Amino acid sequence: MEVERVQAIASLSAAANDIPAEFVRPEHEQPGFTTYRGPAPEIPVVDLAGEAERGALATRVAAAAREWGIFQVVNHGIPAEVVRELQRVGKAFFELPPEEKEKYASKPGSTEGYGTKLQKDLEGKKAWVDFLFHNIWPPATINYAFWPKIPLEYRKANEEYRKYLGILVNKILIMLSKGLGLEDHVLMQSVGGQNLEYLLKINYYPPCPRPDLALGVVSHTDMSAITILVPNDVPGLQVFKDDQWFDVKHIPNAIIVHIGDQIEILSNGYYKSVLHRTTVNKEKARMSWPVFCSPPPEMEIGPLPQLVSDETPTKYKTKMYKDYAYCKLNKLPQ
């Protein structure tokens, strides 16, 4: 079956200055109706340069994770040139001819590969996005068949980014552990330690003639432990807080951290998995590079015993991550 990619649909839609009906969201989801337009609160920005005041840093990270479930980090330790090269090779892949991209098409039953969300949602609608998924860590999970061979520097750029990313993830999990009053290693150990799995996704949101009607990604929380996201310079991420959808301000060279479902569960609800969505742009392609950092499939995740008491009883079931993921993807109750 030949799959129609959103990039191709976007080219046809631009000429018509309209979008196919299956991309028009119901009114209660349309960004034109539901985006907050007044003076909006800004999501927290944490400067990680202050190594000397680690206690204060951990307090700020924990407060952001508790109140918002999302924050931006600056002076994060990933060199700007490493991020730029990650973005360059990812953009180059999406600029390849369709037949070249299709060599990496995802296979049934596999998360990895080049794709477009084929299944419609419950209201019969589609999202305005094409994507590429592949694992980048640990080595046993990597299948290079899904890593583009063009551009030639693709593999090197992604491996270099992963090296720095691992250091940042460890640093954030230490601060989140401190924020719970736990020893530094507890959260990292609880999500798999060295076996924590890193799944990269490149989102490509083509220009859309009706950004007021469409969404790039519908509202959701991430099922990961945490997600580390590199955006391009086209804003589009929105966060749901206080019953409103707020735009996330673009900050040059910042990296965005999402608290995912597994950290919410481990913290017994102290930290919040962020509800978010992605809007699209009329003039420019938006791109983002989230890495979903998740426990190994067989690992059991539940509220940490240190955080459960008569006053704070357990709020979540303990289950293997693969079972949690199955329920989430198939919209089954947990």
Side-chain angles (χ1 to χ4, degrees), residues 17 31 39 42 69 75 78 90 104 113 126 155 157 183 192 195 198 254 269 282:
N17 201 33
E42 292 185 5
N75 294 313
I78 304 180
Y104 304 95
K126 293 182 178 177
R155 177 169 169 176
E183 292 182 38
N195 294 314
Y198 292 61
K282 187 165 187 171

Side-chain angles (χ1 to χ4, degrees), residues 195 197 294-300 319-323:
N195 294 314
E197 297 190 357
S294 303
E298 308 284 332
M299 187 150 201
E300 287 201 336
K319 56 168 67 178
M320 281 195 284
Y321 178 64
K322 67 177 183 182
D323 295 333

Side-chain angles (χ1 to χ4, degrees), residues 129-264:
V129 63
D130 295 327
F131 49 75
L132 175 70
F133 272 111
H134 59 74
N135 289 312
I136 59 172
W137 191 262
T141 66
I142 294 174
N143 182 350
Y144 288 113
F146 292 113
W147 291 46
K149 294 177 177 56
I150 302 173
L152 296 174
E153 306 83 7
Y154 186 90
R155 177 169 169 176
K156 181 182 176 188
N158 278 263
E159 289 178 339
E160 189 71 5
Y161 175 63
R162 208 290 311 164
K163 275 190 270 183
Y164 288 99
L165 182 64
I167 296 167
L168 176 61
V169 167
N170 189 52
K171 188 181 289 188
I172 289 168
L173 288 174
I174 285 173
M175 288 187 280
L176 290 170
S177 281
K178 284 180 185 293
L180 294 169
L182 303 172
E183 292 182 38
D184 290 4
H185 67 276
V186 171
L187 278 182
M188 175 58 97
Q189 190 175 301
S190 300
V191 293
Q194 288 302 307
N195 294 314
L196 181 67
E197 297 190 357
Y198 292 61
L199 174 67
L200 171 78
K201 182 186 186 191
I202 307 177
N203 288 306
Y204 185 89
Y205 309 100
C208 177
R210 295 300 307 270
D212 56 321
L213 302 179
L215 285 172
V217 177
V218 299
S219 64
H220 67 287
T221 60
D222 293 346
M223 62 185 178
S224 58
I226 62 171
T227 302
I228 309 292
L229 183 141
V230 168
N232 71 350
D233 59 356
V234 180
L237 182 62
Q238 293 189 333
V239 171
F240 193 72
K241 187 175 188 293
D242 302 329
D243 295 322
Q244 302 285 352
W245 282 106
F246 295 115
D247 290 313
V248 174
K249 180 181 172 184
H250 174 70
I251 297 175
N253 301 316
I255 284 178
I256 301 170
V257 181
H258 298 191
I259 301 299
D261 295 350
Q262 306 314 303
I263 291 292
E264 177 174 321

